[in-house]
Amino acid sequence: MDTPQRRGRRGPALQTPVTAAIASAAFDELAENGWQGLSMDAVARRAGVGKAALYRRWPSKDAMLMDLIGEAVARNLPDLPDSGDLRRDVRAFLDLTVAQVADPRMPRIGLDLLAEYVRNPAFSEELRRTVAQPRREAAATILNRAVERGELPAGIDISLAVDLMISPLVLRLVISGEPVDEAVLDRMTSMIIAGAAATTAP
Amino acid sequence: MDTPQRRGRRGPALQTPVTAAIASAAFDELAENGWQGLSMDAVARRAGVGKAALYRRWPSKDAMLMDLIGEAVARNLPDLPDSGDLRRDVRAFLDLTVAQVADPRMPRIGLDLLAEYVRNPAFSEELRRTVAQPRREAAATILNRAVERGELPAGIDISLAVDLMISPLVLRLVISGEPVDEAVLDRMTSMIIAGAAATTAP
Amino acid sequence: MDTPQRRGRRGPALQTPVTAAIASAAFDELAENGWQGLSMDAVARRAGVGKAALYRRWPSKDAMLMDLIGEAVARNLPDLPDSGDLRRDVRAFLDLTVAQVADPRMPRIGLDLLAEYVRNPAFSEELRRTVAQPRREAAATILNRAVERGELPAGIDISLAVDLMISPLVLRLVISGEPVDEAVLDRMTSMIIAGAAATTAP
Amino acid sequence: MDTPQRRGRRGPALQTPVTAAIASAAFDELAENGWQGLSMDAVARRAGVGKAALYRRWPSKDAMLMDLIGEAVARNLPDLPDSGDLRRDVRAFLDLTVAQVADPRMPRIGLDLLAEYVRNPAFSEELRRTVAQPRREAAATILNRAVERGELPAGIDISLAVDLMISPLVLRLVISGEPVDEAVLDRMTSMIIAGAAATTAP
DNA sequence: TTCTAATCGAGACGGTACGTCCCGTCTTGCC
DNA sequence: GGCAAGACGGGACGTACCGTCTCGATTAGAA
């Protein structure tokens, strides 16, 4: 028999084979033509599906892509153990970020994701909630633990320090595209620790 | 010699006032409707110009906007005097960045600019050259002067430190949109100086 | 065998009321502005229809007009009873032609029709088959019956006599536009009968 | 008084070779693309001439083509001697018509000419005056001479008989495109003479 | 000879229509 | 009732052409 085994739902989508086919086709089109270049007709054709099948699931092209991408990105959430040492924690955070962005489908889709993120306020909020916030919280946890351990001074600006943990790496990975090797990550780690410690009110 | 003398001039040039009218109309439309919402017919109508006048200058809507915006952004280059003090130099750099992004037309257009930046490789390179590079060089100059004065250690990673001077502020201003007040800029300045000093090889 | 059964219907048909609305709008525009002055946008707007609905049916403006007009003209075929007398038959044929061309929408559209007839070879053939040929056959029938009755000699050139029955009247009606009253039709009838009888090989 | 004496010449005349080049290019384009397909830019390019040179001479594309074609057609006016015999005169008229239409450039351009004739009222009048009227007068002269000689009855409808001399042949040559050989011309001559004689009031 | 007005080639200008493509909705029949 | 196929209204895109205008270079009549 072929009982449609519901295995711990990954999210509302991908429940039926039709939805899965749409998702696959959409990602292919996204990688080939980008967000703006993707047309609903092309996705439906590629998925061997009627256009109505798409609009039965999402109210618009943007909503569909937000949902599909958001879900895909949200799936790989950071899971960082407490190493008991700030330097190791920070380095692990950076490594995880590099690993996630290094996903083979990321280079092309990721940029379009950011493009649409800044373009579309609704998606902006959705993505902030599902993607950015969890990562910011993970970074904040690392910093707070270090404060508790006394590795960082008490009065630091956590929010600013979190920006510091995320933005220089994202700039390199997503925007400037410069290579990020071990040595750079080492120096970046030092930079983050020193910088974070200096975010106290003067 | 009996060269059959060519009559007439070699051909008229594009008329400057027309280009100016198009640019103005395009910026208005951009601010009102955004990159995607901007239509070439609307720009032409607003500029009191035929659509052909647009397509005589640029091969497509995207090319037009890239060119116009890129040029506009490239125009306001940082011009930072040497204050002789690293902290003052860094703070001036941050203030300048805030001021440029705070330009009333920026909030809406700037995001679209970044969106297209990551989407279009050709524009990406163009924008890197005319917008990012000059600012990176200004930041690098500040840091190098500090090294010469002994305010920063000799072995620091200038490129990484430049990232540090730019990315956290850009993240706040362009992406997260969190407010940036004087106090935050003070703490960010401290963070940058401490972080930059720590980018030495371990 | 496991032929993957195709789901859904094979595809929707073009909707009749839409086609009718387009045809009506096209004829209105044609009468008002002529073939060249008719614009597809105007037809679509007048029909309350998207431009795509037009181009889904015909590949171009000319093809659309050829099809619509050709079909309209082809519809009113001559239906001429055998009066048993050549003169009455010929006169009835002329009257029918005048009546058909006297249709209020004809004066303007008819000329454009001929214009396109001579311009476009494909339309030319189509129109010859649906419009000219039936009328030529009706004329030929009249003449052949007269030959059988002995009203016309046996050796006449039917094709040439058919030209005679059609061309002088068409010249007046369509090209020179001179008025055609009862007296002219009387004289033309005499002319045709005498001329037809003289088309024998010398 | 101080009449500001106008120095310099009153202005050079339009240059003949330029006009000739335009005419040649226009006829080429006309033969290749037809009246509607001919574009002024293409004519100017082909003639190696600026578009202004065209509009300096004619107010519009239609006016230019009307003028050029009208003049070309008007040049070969019928010049028919009085043979003293109606049959020979009619046959000569038909032969001349065949010869004129048989001109190698005619087949393609001639049809477009008629097309535009029925489409464009202004051209219609111009062409009627320069092309049709002289030929109708030539035909009328032939008929009137026959009446004077007693070869045709006195009360015939000259206008209708002129239609008879022109329209069947034109129908064949220009519209139906059927071949016209000697035998057909013989029968047509007989038909015309008999028909013309029968155009008397009943 | 010198002035100067009109012509020349080239092509930009405003405007209008074309034919294509896409979005999001709606309709029709097959499963 | 879900599905494929695709027609539907709407609207933007990028192209082509018309008839006008501007530009600098050329040319030939009038002073």
Side-chain angles (χ1 to χ4, degrees), chain B residues 5-199:
Chain B
Q5 283 286 95
R6 292 210 355 151
R7 299 276 295 277
R9 72 161 162 169
R10 230 48 59 185
L14 298 174
Q15 296 185 11
T16 310
V18 171
T19 304
I22 293 171
S24 168
F27 277 111
D28 289 349
E29 287 287 326
L30 209 47
E32 285 179 20
N33 306 110
W35 191 296
Q36 301 302 321
L38 175 148
S39 96
M40 295 299 260
D41 293 78
V43 171
R45 210 176 313 120
R46 189 165 208 150
V49 144
K51 236 194 328 175
L54 276 59
Y55 286 100
R56 223 173 274 124
R57 290 169 168 75
W58 305 277
S60 71
K61 165 181 159 175
D62 282 3
M64 178 184 84
L65 294 181
M66 285 182 217
D67 185 39
L68 289 179
I69 298 183
E71 195 185 359
V73 174
R75 256 196 295 275
N76 59 345
L77 285 171
D79 181 22
L80 292 166
D82 181 358
S83 73
D85 174 66
L86 175 56
R87 182 168 194 94
R88 277 205 296 273
D89 277 4
V90 168
R91 183 58 196 270
F93 183 84
L94 295 182
D95 287 343
L96 178 65
T97 304
V98 170
Q100 288 179 344
V101 175
D103 181 287
R105 295 174 319 193
M106 255 304 173
R108 187 65 205 261
I109 294 180
L111 295 180
D112 270 323
L113 183 62
L114 179 57
E116 216 56 33
Y117 169 83
V118 297
R119 193 188 301 297
N120 190 315
F123 183 39
S124 190
E125 181 48 40
E126 161 86 4
L127 206 58
R128 192 194 313 279
R129 195 173 47 75
T130 59
V131 179
Q133 200 52 41
R135 283 161 180 79
R136 291 190 71 88
E137 280 170 12
T141 300
I142 289 172
L143 294 169
N144 283 322
R145 285 198 303 238
V147 171
E148 285 171 19
R149 284 193 301 262
E151 291 184 86
L152 286 176
I156 65 168
D157 182 336
I158 293 288
S159 170
L160 189 55
V162 165
D163 289 351
L164 175 63
M165 285 183 68
I166 294 175
S167 62
L169 185 51
V170 167
L171 177 70
R172 291 232 164 182
L173 291 172
V174 175
I175 300 189
S176 63
E178 284 179 69
V180 177
D181 56 19
E182 291 294 311
V184 168
L185 288 174
D186 281 342
R187 289 197 292 276
M188 195 178 282
T189 306
S190 301
M191 179 181 87
I192 288 169
I193 293 172
T199 59

Side-chain angles (χ1 to χ4, degrees), chain A residues 34-37 87 108 111-112 114-119 124 128 136 155-157 159-164 166-169 171-172 174-178 183-184 186-188 190-192 194-196 198-202, chain B residues 34-36 87 108 111-112 114-119 124 128 136 155-157 159-164 166-169 171-172 174-178 183-184 186-192 194-196 198-202:
Chain A
W35 191 296
Q36 302 301 324
R87 182 169 194 92
R108 187 62 211 261
L111 294 179
D112 263 321
L114 180 57
E116 214 56 32
Y117 169 84
V118 297
R119 198 189 294 296
S124 189
R128 193 195 310 279
R136 291 190 73 88
I156 66 168
D157 182 337
S159 171
L160 189 54
V162 165
D163 288 352
L164 175 63
I166 294 175
S167 62
L169 185 52
L171 177 69
R172 290 234 164 179
V174 175
I175 299 189
S176 64
E178 283 178 71
V184 166
D186 282 342
R187 290 197 292 275
M188 194 178 284
S190 302
M191 177 180 88
I192 288 170
T199 61
T200 50
Chain B
W35 191 296
Q36 301 302 321
R87 182 168 194 94
R108 187 65 205 261
L111 295 180
D112 270 323
L114 179 57
E116 216 56 33
Y117 169 83
V118 297
R119 193 188 301 297
S124 190
R128 192 194 313 279
R136 291 190 71 88
I156 65 168
D157 182 336
S159 170
L160 189 55
V162 165
D163 289 351
L164 175 63
I166 294 175
S167 62
L169 185 51
L171 177 70
R172 291 232 164 182
V174 175
I175 300 189
S176 63
E178 284 179 69
V184 168
D186 281 342
R187 289 197 292 276
M188 195 178 282
T189 306
S190 301
M191 179 181 87
I192 288 169
T199 59
T200 49

Side-chain angles (χ1 to χ4, degrees), chain C residues 136 162-164 166-167 170, chain D residues 166-178:
Chain C
R136 291 190 72 88
V162 165
D163 288 353
L164 175 63
I166 294 175
S167 62
V170 167
Chain D
I166 294 175
S167 63
L169 185 52
V170 166
L171 177 71
R172 291 232 164 183
L173 292 173
V174 173
I175 299 188
S176 64
E178 285 179 70

